[in-house]
Amino acid sequence: MMKKHSIKISNATRYYPGAAKPAIDDISLDIAPGEFMTFLGPSGSGKTTLLSIIAGFVGLNAGSVEIDGQDITNLKPHKRDLGVVFQQYALFPHMTVFQNIAYPLRQRGVSRAEIETRVKRVLDLVQLGDFAHRLPRQLSGGQQQRVALARAVVYEPRALLLDEPLGALDKRLRDRLQLEIARMHRELGMTFVFVTHDQEEALTLSDRIAVFNNGKIMQVGTPTELYRSPNSLFVAKFLGESNIMEGSSRGTNVIVRPEHIHLKMPTSKLGENELSKAARITEISFAGAHLKVGLAFSGGETGLSLITAGNPLQLQRGEEVLAVWSRANQHTVMNDDQVAAASKS
Ligand code: ADP
Ligand code: MG
Protein backbone atom coordinates (compact mmCIF):
# COMPACT_ATOMS: atom_id res chain seq x y z
CA MET A 1 0.00 0.00 0.00
CA MET A 2 1.26 3.44 -0.85
CA LYS A 3 0.88 6.58 1.19
CA LYS A 4 -2.37 8.38 0.50
CA HIS A 5 -2.50 12.04 -0.45
CA SER A 6 -5.23 14.68 -0.64
CA ILE A 7 -5.72 17.19 -3.45
CA LYS A 8 -7.46 20.51 -2.87
CA ILE A 9 -8.59 22.88 -5.60
CA SER A 10 -9.70 26.34 -4.47
CA ASN A 11 -11.54 28.87 -6.65
CA ALA A 12 -9.74 27.74 -9.79
CA THR A 13 -10.38 29.80 -12.91
CA ARG A 14 -8.71 29.37 -16.29
CA TYR A 15 -9.24 31.35 -19.51
CA TYR A 16 -7.54 30.03 -22.63
CA PRO A 17 -5.94 32.89 -24.61
CA GLY A 18 -8.57 34.79 -26.58
CA ALA A 19 -11.52 32.87 -25.09
CA ALA A 20 -14.55 34.94 -24.05
CA LYS A 21 -15.54 32.61 -21.23
CA PRO A 22 -13.43 30.53 -18.88
CA ALA A 23 -12.83 26.81 -19.52
CA ILE A 24 -12.79 26.43 -15.71
CA ASP A 25 -15.01 28.84 -13.82
CA ASP A 26 -14.30 29.30 -10.12
CA ILE A 27 -14.14 25.59 -9.23
CA SER A 28 -13.40 24.35 -5.70
CA LEU A 29 -13.04 20.65 -4.94
CA ASP A 30 -11.55 18.49 -2.18
CA ILE A 31 -10.26 15.07 -3.16
CA ALA A 32 -9.72 12.82 -0.13
CA PRO A 33 -6.59 10.70 0.43
CA GLY A 34 -6.95 7.40 -1.43
CA GLU A 35 -10.20 8.42 -3.06
CA PHE A 36 -11.28 7.36 -6.56
CA MET A 37 -12.62 10.68 -7.86
CA THR A 38 -14.16 10.90 -11.32
CA PHE A 39 -14.72 14.01 -13.44
CA LEU A 40 -17.83 13.27 -15.50
CA GLY A 41 -19.39 15.57 -18.08
CA PRO A 42 -20.03 16.21 -21.75
CA SER A 43 -17.28 17.06 -24.21
CA GLY A 44 -15.95 20.59 -23.73
CA SER A 45 -17.17 20.93 -20.13
CA GLY A 46 -13.66 21.44 -18.71
CA LYS A 47 -12.66 18.00 -17.39
CA THR A 48 -9.31 17.76 -19.20
CA THR A 49 -8.50 21.35 -18.35
CA LEU A 50 -8.98 20.76 -14.62
CA LEU A 51 -6.96 17.53 -14.73
CA SER A 52 -4.20 19.39 -16.60
CA ILE A 53 -4.31 22.11 -13.96
CA ILE A 54 -3.71 19.46 -11.26
CA ALA A 55 -0.89 17.95 -13.36
CA GLY A 56 0.62 21.40 -13.92
CA PHE A 57 0.40 21.36 -17.73
CA VAL A 58 -2.10 24.23 -17.69
CA GLY A 59 -1.80 27.31 -15.46
CA LEU A 60 -4.44 29.20 -13.48
CA ASN A 61 -5.69 32.78 -13.86
CA ALA A 62 -7.00 32.63 -10.30
CA GLY A 63 -7.16 30.10 -7.48
CA SER A 64 -4.83 27.42 -6.16
CA VAL A 65 -4.00 23.70 -6.09
CA GLU A 66 -2.70 21.98 -2.96
CA ILE A 67 -1.44 18.49 -2.19
CA ASP A 68 -1.62 17.53 1.50
CA GLY A 69 -2.12 21.21 2.31
CA GLN A 70 1.00 22.29 0.46
CA ASP A 71 0.47 24.90 -2.29
CA ILE A 72 1.73 23.51 -5.63
CA THR A 73 0.07 26.10 -7.91
CA ASN A 74 3.40 27.31 -9.28
CA LEU A 75 5.32 24.04 -9.14
CA LYS A 76 6.57 22.57 -12.47
CA PRO A 77 4.77 19.37 -13.60
CA HIS A 78 7.76 17.04 -13.03
CA LYS A 79 8.16 18.36 -9.49
CA ARG A 80 4.57 17.51 -8.53
CA ASP A 81 5.17 13.79 -8.32
CA LEU A 82 1.92 12.80 -10.02
CA GLY A 83 1.38 9.90 -12.45
CA VAL A 84 -0.48 10.68 -15.66
CA VAL A 85 -2.18 8.43 -18.24
CA PHE A 86 -3.90 9.76 -21.34
CA GLN A 87 -6.12 8.20 -23.97
CA GLN A 88 -3.21 7.82 -26.37
CA TYR A 89 -0.76 5.27 -25.07
CA ALA A 90 2.35 7.40 -25.73
CA LEU A 91 4.79 4.55 -25.13
CA PHE A 92 8.30 4.84 -26.55
CA PRO A 93 8.02 2.67 -29.70
CA HIS A 94 11.69 1.62 -29.84
CA MET A 95 11.80 0.52 -26.18
CA THR A 96 10.60 -2.81 -24.82
CA VAL A 97 7.83 -2.99 -22.25
CA PHE A 98 10.46 -3.37 -19.53
CA GLN A 99 12.44 -0.34 -20.75
CA ASN A 100 9.30 1.76 -21.09
CA ILE A 101 8.32 1.08 -17.50
CA ALA A 102 11.89 1.44 -16.23
CA TYR A 103 12.25 4.85 -17.89
CA PRO A 104 10.81 7.05 -15.11
CA LEU A 105 12.92 5.15 -12.55
CA ARG A 106 16.12 5.64 -14.58
CA GLN A 107 15.29 9.35 -14.78
CA ARG A 108 15.13 9.41 -11.02
CA GLY A 109 18.44 7.62 -10.66
CA VAL A 110 17.03 4.47 -9.07
CA SER A 111 19.54 1.59 -8.85
CA ARG A 112 19.51 -1.24 -11.37
CA ALA A 113 18.51 -3.87 -8.81
CA GLU A 114 15.70 -1.70 -7.47
CA ILE A 115 14.47 -1.03 -11.02
CA GLU A 116 14.38 -4.78 -11.66
CA THR A 117 12.26 -5.38 -8.55
CA ARG A 118 9.85 -2.51 -9.08
CA VAL A 119 9.22 -3.13 -12.78
CA LYS A 120 8.51 -6.81 -12.03
CA ARG A 121 6.04 -5.80 -9.34
CA VAL A 122 4.01 -3.44 -11.54
CA LEU A 123 4.13 -5.85 -14.49
CA ASP A 124 2.45 -8.37 -12.21
CA LEU A 125 0.01 -5.70 -11.05
CA VAL A 126 -1.19 -5.14 -14.65
CA GLN A 127 -0.87 -8.86 -15.44
CA LEU A 128 1.76 -8.47 -18.15
CA GLY A 129 4.51 -10.50 -16.46
CA ASP A 130 5.27 -12.45 -19.65
CA PHE A 131 5.46 -9.43 -21.93
CA ALA A 132 8.52 -7.63 -20.55
CA HIS A 133 10.62 -8.06 -23.68
CA ARG A 134 8.03 -7.19 -26.30
CA LEU A 135 7.93 -3.93 -28.20
CA PRO A 136 4.75 -1.80 -28.00
CA ARG A 137 3.78 -2.65 -31.60
CA GLN A 138 3.72 -6.34 -30.62
CA LEU A 139 0.95 -5.61 -28.10
CA SER A 140 -2.80 -5.04 -28.46
CA GLY A 141 -4.28 -1.63 -27.64
CA GLY A 142 -5.46 -2.86 -24.26
CA GLN A 143 -2.05 -4.29 -23.40
CA GLN A 144 -0.34 -1.06 -24.43
CA GLN A 145 -2.64 0.89 -22.15
CA ARG A 146 -1.79 -1.47 -19.29
CA VAL A 147 1.88 -0.74 -19.89
CA ALA A 148 1.09 2.97 -19.74
CA LEU A 149 -0.70 2.39 -16.40
CA ALA A 150 2.28 0.42 -15.07
CA ARG A 151 4.69 3.15 -16.14
CA ALA A 152 2.56 5.83 -14.47
CA VAL A 153 2.56 4.12 -11.06
CA VAL A 154 6.04 2.50 -10.99
CA TYR A 155 7.73 5.45 -9.26
CA GLU A 156 4.97 5.58 -6.65
CA PRO A 157 3.58 9.03 -7.44
CA ARG A 158 1.36 10.85 -4.95
CA ALA A 159 -1.72 10.36 -7.14
CA LEU A 160 -2.67 8.93 -10.52
CA LEU A 161 -4.42 11.19 -13.05
CA LEU A 162 -6.23 9.41 -15.88
CA ASP A 163 -7.80 11.24 -18.83
CA GLU A 164 -10.24 8.93 -20.66
CA PRO A 165 -7.62 6.15 -20.59
CA LEU A 166 -10.07 3.61 -22.04
CA GLY A 167 -11.58 5.91 -24.66
CA ALA A 168 -9.71 4.36 -27.60
CA LEU A 169 -10.63 0.76 -26.74
CA ASP A 170 -13.62 -1.25 -27.89
CA LYS A 171 -16.48 -1.92 -25.49
CA ARG A 172 -15.45 -5.43 -24.41
CA LEU A 173 -11.86 -4.45 -23.69
CA ARG A 174 -13.00 -1.28 -21.96
CA ASP A 175 -15.18 -3.28 -19.55
CA ARG A 176 -12.25 -5.57 -18.72
CA LEU A 177 -9.78 -2.75 -18.19
CA GLN A 178 -12.33 -0.92 -16.03
CA LEU A 179 -12.22 -3.85 -13.63
CA GLU A 180 -8.42 -3.84 -13.74
CA ILE A 181 -8.28 -0.15 -12.93
CA ALA A 182 -10.66 -0.73 -10.01
CA ARG A 183 -8.42 -3.55 -8.78
CA MET A 184 -5.28 -1.40 -9.20
CA HIS A 185 -6.91 1.30 -7.13
CA ARG A 186 -7.77 -1.19 -4.38
CA GLU A 187 -4.32 -2.78 -4.34
CA LEU A 188 -2.33 0.46 -4.51
CA GLY A 189 -4.63 2.43 -2.20
CA MET A 190 -3.57 5.55 -4.07
CA THR A 191 -5.62 8.65 -4.91
CA PHE A 192 -7.01 8.33 -8.46
CA VAL A 193 -8.51 11.21 -10.47
CA PHE A 194 -10.27 9.78 -13.51
CA VAL A 195 -11.86 11.64 -16.42
CA THR A 196 -14.68 10.18 -18.50
CA HIS A 197 -17.79 11.24 -20.41
CA ASP A 198 -19.29 7.79 -19.88
CA GLN A 199 -21.79 7.68 -16.99
CA GLU A 200 -21.68 3.90 -16.72
CA GLU A 201 -17.91 3.94 -16.37
CA ALA A 202 -18.17 6.67 -13.73
CA LEU A 203 -20.82 4.78 -11.75
CA THR A 204 -18.81 1.54 -11.86
CA LEU A 205 -15.46 2.91 -10.73
CA SER A 206 -15.89 5.92 -8.52
CA ASP A 207 -15.98 6.61 -4.80
CA ARG A 208 -17.28 10.04 -5.77
CA ILE A 209 -18.17 11.77 -9.03
CA ALA A 210 -17.91 15.47 -9.87
CA VAL A 211 -20.40 16.31 -12.63
CA PHE A 212 -19.08 19.01 -14.99
CA ASN A 213 -21.06 21.39 -17.16
CA ASN A 214 -19.81 24.54 -18.84
CA GLY A 215 -16.62 24.92 -16.81
CA LYS A 216 -18.43 24.37 -13.52
CA ILE A 217 -19.03 21.44 -11.20
CA MET A 218 -22.79 21.02 -10.87
CA GLN A 219 -22.65 18.45 -8.06
CA VAL A 220 -20.20 16.18 -6.24
CA GLY A 221 -21.31 12.97 -4.58
CA THR A 222 -21.18 9.20 -4.42
CA PRO A 223 -22.81 7.40 -7.35
CA THR A 224 -25.81 6.60 -5.14
CA GLU A 225 -26.19 10.19 -3.92
CA LEU A 226 -26.10 11.57 -7.45
CA TYR A 227 -28.57 9.00 -8.70
CA ARG A 228 -30.98 9.31 -5.78
CA SER A 229 -30.68 13.04 -5.13
CA PRO A 230 -29.56 14.95 -8.20
CA ASN A 231 -29.52 18.69 -7.49
CA SER A 232 -30.40 19.73 -11.01
CA LEU A 233 -32.07 18.67 -14.21
CA PHE A 234 -28.62 18.44 -15.79
CA VAL A 235 -27.33 15.89 -13.26
CA ALA A 236 -30.59 13.91 -13.36
CA LYS A 237 -30.38 13.66 -17.14
CA PHE A 238 -26.66 12.93 -17.22
CA LEU A 239 -26.81 10.05 -14.71
CA GLY A 240 -29.40 7.46 -15.55
CA GLU A 241 -32.86 7.99 -16.99
CA SER A 242 -35.70 9.92 -15.44
CA ASN A 243 -39.26 11.01 -15.91
CA ILE A 244 -39.28 14.79 -15.84
CA MET A 245 -42.37 16.81 -15.08
CA GLU A 246 -43.03 20.42 -14.33
CA GLY A 247 -42.81 21.24 -10.62
CA SER A 248 -45.44 23.10 -8.65
CA SER A 249 -43.26 26.14 -7.93
CA ARG A 250 -41.55 28.26 -10.55
CA GLY A 251 -38.15 27.16 -11.81
CA THR A 252 -38.48 23.63 -10.47
CA ASN A 253 -39.02 20.22 -11.98
CA VAL A 254 -40.10 16.95 -10.51
CA ILE A 255 -38.18 13.85 -11.48
CA VAL A 256 -39.05 10.21 -10.90
CA ARG A 257 -36.69 7.39 -11.84
CA PRO A 258 -38.16 4.74 -14.21
CA GLU A 259 -37.98 1.95 -11.60
CA HIS A 260 -40.33 3.99 -9.39
CA ILE A 261 -43.06 4.46 -12.01
CA HIS A 262 -45.75 1.78 -11.77
CA LEU A 263 -48.47 1.34 -14.32
CA LYS A 264 -52.11 0.85 -13.43
CA MET A 265 -55.39 0.75 -15.28
CA PRO A 266 -56.86 4.28 -15.79
CA THR A 267 -59.72 3.61 -13.37
CA SER A 268 -57.53 2.34 -10.53
CA LYS A 269 -57.82 3.93 -7.11
CA LEU A 270 -54.69 5.55 -5.72
CA GLY A 271 -53.16 5.09 -2.31
CA GLU A 272 -52.82 8.02 0.09
CA ASN A 273 -49.24 8.85 -0.79
CA GLU A 274 -49.45 8.04 -4.44
CA LEU A 275 -49.30 10.51 -7.30
CA SER A 276 -50.22 9.85 -10.88
CA LYS A 277 -50.32 11.07 -14.42
CA ALA A 278 -52.27 9.76 -17.39
CA ALA A 279 -50.09 8.29 -20.08
CA ARG A 280 -50.20 6.29 -23.29
CA ILE A 281 -47.82 3.40 -23.90
CA THR A 282 -45.60 4.14 -26.88
CA GLU A 283 -43.22 1.23 -26.67
CA ILE A 284 -42.57 -2.00 -24.81
CA SER A 285 -39.25 -3.80 -24.91
CA PHE A 286 -37.56 -6.54 -22.95
CA ALA A 287 -34.33 -5.54 -21.21
CA GLY A 288 -33.16 -8.71 -19.51
CA ALA A 289 -34.63 -8.85 -16.04
CA HIS A 290 -37.31 -6.26 -16.69
CA LEU A 291 -39.69 -4.69 -19.14
CA LYS A 292 -38.99 -1.19 -20.45
CA VAL A 293 -42.18 0.73 -21.13
CA GLY A 294 -42.03 3.99 -23.08
CA LEU A 295 -44.73 6.52 -22.15
CA ALA A 296 -46.30 9.68 -23.57
CA PHE A 297 -47.73 11.67 -20.67
CA SER A 298 -50.94 13.64 -21.09
CA GLY A 299 -48.95 16.90 -20.79
CA GLY A 300 -46.84 15.97 -23.81
CA GLU A 301 -43.69 14.84 -21.98
CA THR A 302 -42.17 11.46 -22.71
CA GLY A 303 -41.42 9.01 -19.93
CA LEU A 304 -40.15 5.57 -19.07
CA SER A 305 -41.25 2.88 -16.66
CA LEU A 306 -39.21 -0.17 -15.68
CA ILE A 307 -41.29 -3.13 -14.62
CA THR A 308 -39.76 -6.21 -13.07
CA ALA A 309 -41.31 -9.67 -13.08
CA GLY A 310 -43.02 -10.03 -16.43
CA ASN A 311 -46.08 -8.27 -17.75
CA PRO A 312 -48.94 -9.03 -15.34
CA LEU A 313 -51.26 -6.38 -16.79
CA GLN A 314 -50.76 -7.67 -20.35
CA LEU A 315 -49.81 -4.15 -21.34
CA GLN A 316 -49.83 -3.27 -25.01
CA ARG A 317 -48.57 -0.51 -27.18
CA GLY A 318 -51.13 2.27 -27.63
CA GLU A 319 -52.88 1.47 -24.37
CA GLU A 320 -53.96 4.26 -22.00
CA VAL A 321 -52.66 3.76 -18.46
CA LEU A 322 -52.07 5.60 -15.22
CA ALA A 323 -48.41 6.20 -14.36
CA VAL A 324 -48.25 5.99 -10.56
CA TRP A 325 -45.48 6.75 -8.12
CA SER A 326 -45.22 7.32 -4.42
CA ARG A 327 -44.50 10.76 -3.06
CA ALA A 328 -41.33 9.49 -1.38
CA ASN A 329 -39.87 8.58 -4.76
CA GLN A 330 -40.35 11.92 -6.45
CA HIS A 331 -37.57 14.39 -6.28
CA THR A 332 -37.77 18.15 -6.88
CA VAL A 333 -34.83 19.79 -8.66
CA MET A 334 -34.10 23.37 -9.63
CA ASN A 335 -33.62 24.37 -13.23
CA ASP A 336 -29.97 24.37 -14.27
CA ASP A 337 -29.56 28.14 -14.53
CA GLN A 338 -30.68 28.48 -10.92
CA VAL A 339 -28.21 25.84 -9.72
CA ALA A 340 -25.40 27.62 -11.55
CA ALA A 341 -26.46 30.95 -9.99
CA ALA A 342 -26.67 29.39 -6.51
CA SER A 343 -23.21 27.80 -6.79
CA LYS A 344 -21.74 31.26 -7.51
CA SER A 345 -22.72 32.81 -4.23
P1 ADP B 1 -13.45 18.24 -21.78
O1 ADP B 1 -12.19 17.55 -21.39
O2 ADP B 1 -14.52 18.20 -20.76
O3 ADP B 1 -13.94 17.78 -23.12
P2 ADP B 1 -11.74 20.58 -22.12
O4 ADP B 1 -11.18 20.87 -20.78
O5 ADP B 1 -10.86 19.90 -23.09
O6 ADP B 1 -13.14 19.81 -21.96
O7 ADP B 1 -12.21 21.94 -22.78
C1 ADP B 1 -12.94 22.94 -22.07
C2 ADP B 1 -13.09 24.15 -22.98
O8 ADP B 1 -11.81 24.74 -23.23
C3 ADP B 1 -13.67 23.83 -24.35
O9 ADP B 1 -14.47 24.91 -24.73
C4 ADP B 1 -12.45 23.74 -25.23
O10 ADP B 1 -12.76 24.09 -26.56
C5 ADP B 1 -11.50 24.75 -24.61
N1 ADP B 1 -10.08 24.36 -24.77
C6 ADP B 1 -9.52 23.21 -24.35
N2 ADP B 1 -8.20 23.19 -24.59
C7 ADP B 1 -7.91 24.37 -25.19
C8 ADP B 1 -6.70 24.97 -25.69
N3 ADP B 1 -5.53 24.33 -25.60
N4 ADP B 1 -6.80 26.19 -26.23
C9 ADP B 1 -7.97 26.85 -26.30
N5 ADP B 1 -9.14 26.36 -25.85
C10 ADP B 1 -9.12 25.13 -25.30
MG1 MG C 1 -11.21 15.93 -22.36
Side-chain angles (χ1 to χ4, degrees):
M1 281 293 242
M2 299 189 188
K3 237 188 112 213
K4 301 177 180 192
H5 303 274
S6 67
I7 300 172
K8 187 184 180 73
I9 296 150
S10 308
N11 303 103
T13 296
R14 164 70 192 190
Y15 286 85
Y16 283 109
K21 66 185 190 66
I24 290 297
D25 186 2
D26 196 18
I27 284 183
S28 296
L29 179 67
D30 279 314
I31 302 171
E35 184 166 39
F36 197 121
M37 168 65 78
T38 295
F39 296 172
L40 174 69
S43 172
S45 57
K47 308 179 298 292
T48 293
T49 300
L50 190 60
L51 200 74
S52 306
I53 286 167
I54 297 172
F57 304 141
V58 168
L60 281 171
N61 296 103
S64 66
V65 184
E66 292 165 32
I67 296 184
D68 297 337
Q70 179 205 7
D71 193 322
I72 59 157
T73 314
N74 297 313
L75 206 60
K76 293 237 157 46
H78 65 276
K79 295 258 169 84
R80 295 190 179 199
D81 203 8
L82 298 168
V84 181
V85 179
F86 289 111
Q87 181 171 331
Q88 295 311 329
Y89 323 120
L91 301 176
F92 300 114
H94 57 285
M95 291 186 192
T96 64
V97 166
F98 185 95
Q99 290 165 337
N100 262 284
I101 299 173
Y103 183 82
L105 297 175
R106 285 227 185 84
Q107 290 248 302
R108 286 166 172 78
V110 176
S111 77
R112 193 183 270 263
E114 178 73 13
I115 287 178
E116 194 74 36
T117 314
R118 289 226 220 157
V119 173
K120 267 220 179 82
R121 196 188 308 145
V122 293
L123 272 174
D124 286 343
L125 179 72
V126 298
Q127 297 175 335
L128 283 178
D130 299 335
F131 293 77
H133 301 295
R134 295 238 191 141
L135 288 169
R137 68 179 144 78
Q138 298 169 311
L139 301 175
S140 70
Q143 289 167 339
Q144 288 184 43
Q145 201 57 321
R146 282 173 13 211
V147 176
L149 285 165
R151 189 177 59 180
V153 298
V154 73
Y155 57 92
E156 305 190 355
R158 297 194 281 186
L160 184 60
L161 313 179
L162 308 109
D163 193 353
E164 312 228 13
L166 312 180
L169 307 175
D170 67 43
K171 170 92 178 102
R172 196 179 53 86
L173 248 180
R174 206 161 63 222
D175 289 350
R176 255 202 26 216
L177 263 175
Q178 264 174 29
L179 294 179
E180 295 212 6
I181 287 178
R183 181 178 52 78
M184 269 179 81
H185 178 252
R186 266 198 320 275
E187 288 181 11
L188 294 171
M190 223 166 113
T191 308
F192 277 32
V193 188
F194 185 94
V195 167
T196 183
H197 62 269
D198 182 322
Q199 53 145 316
E200 234 182 271
E201 190 162 284
L203 292 171
T204 307
L205 288 172
S206 318
D207 292 321
R208 284 193 305 157
I209 300 170
V211 184
F212 280 61
N213 184 28
N214 258 327
K216 291 178 186 304
I217 292 177
M218 301 290 287
Q219 190 173 6
V220 187
T222 65
T224 315
E225 281 165 1
L226 295 182
Y227 187 80
R228 293 214 182 126
S229 317
N231 68 349
S232 58
L233 219 45
F234 182 86
V235 173
K237 284 181 184 165
F238 210 84
L239 279 151
E241 295 187 270
S242 14
N243 295 274
I244 299 164
M245 301 163 223
E246 214 165 286
S248 50
S249 58
R250 256 175 77 93
T252 65
N253 289 88
V254 168
I255 69 159
V256 186
R257 295 295 188 181
E259 61 272 27
H260 292 137
I261 297 268
H262 307 290
L263 301 179
K264 296 189 174 179
M265 289 305 156
T267 51
S268 306
K269 272 191 70 176
L270 295 184
E272 197 180 333
N273 282 313
E274 281 185 330
L275 300 162
S276 73
K277 209 167 170 114
R280 186 170 42 80
I281 295 177
T282 56
E283 232 172 315
I284 301 180
S285 59
F286 287 96
H290 38 243
L291 213 55
K292 247 177 149 168
V293 183
L295 301 170
F297 290 118
S298 53
E301 309 100 324
T302 58
L304 185 67
S305 167
L306 276 187
I307 300 173
T308 43
N311 185 357
L313 294 179
Q314 299 297 309
L315 299 167
Q316 291 189 9
R317 204 147 66 94
E319 199 166 341
E320 303 289 337
V321 290
L322 209 51
V324 179
W325 64 95
S326 79
R327 196 179 294 279
N329 287 329
Q330 79 167 27
H331 191 77
T332 303
V333 295
M334 288 189 284
N335 284 345
D336 296 336
D337 46 346
Q338 282 172 299
V339 175
S343 75
K344 271 248 152 194
S345 54

